[in-house]
Amino acid sequence: MKETKQRKEKKIPVETTEKGKLKAMPTRFPAEEEIRLKANEIYNLRREFEIEGTPEDDWLHAEELLRDYSEPAIQ
């Protein structure tokens, strides 16, 4: 039988404090400009396909999409 090579484990970067204690990595929140652009995109698609909704709904949906997309995959 062939010998299999052991895989190296990937290390996840972690921030540390001055005392060397681990602290949680900050969650990235989308900037207002990113939200505005995504909300505008949602609004235009909604108008194109004649889907009811409000600009406030578009904003909240954009926030949710960007937050979900920008969160780290491993927590």
Side-chain angles (χ1 to χ4, degrees):
M1 295 193 122
K2 293 183 181 179
E3 290 183 30
T4 57
K5 294 182 181 179
Q6 291 181 344
R7 287 193 236 163
K8 291 183 180 179
E9 291 183 25
K10 292 183 181 180
K11 293 184 179 181
I12 299 171
V14 178
E15 291 183 10
T16 58
T17 62
E18 290 178 14
K19 295 179 182 178
K21 294 181 181 179
L22 298 177
K23 68 177 185 177
M25 301 241 345
T27 303
R28 182 189 168 287
F29 291 101
E32 187 173 331
E33 179 68 12
E34 291 176 292
I35 298 169
R36 186 183 64 74
L37 292 171
K38 181 57 81 177
N40 189 49
E41 181 182 326
I42 293 168
Y43 170 79
N44 289 331
L45 286 169
R46 196 168 49 76
R47 294 276 313 253
E48 181 180 342
F49 293 100
E50 299 178 359
I51 299 170
E52 290 187 25
T54 65
E56 290 80 13
D57 292 336
D58 299 339
W59 183 273
L60 294 173
H61 189 189
E63 275 185 320
E64 182 180 3
L65 287 172
L66 292 170
R67 194 175 329 106
D68 289 346
Y69 180 73
S70 63
E71 285 181 1
I74 300 174
Q75 294 183 355

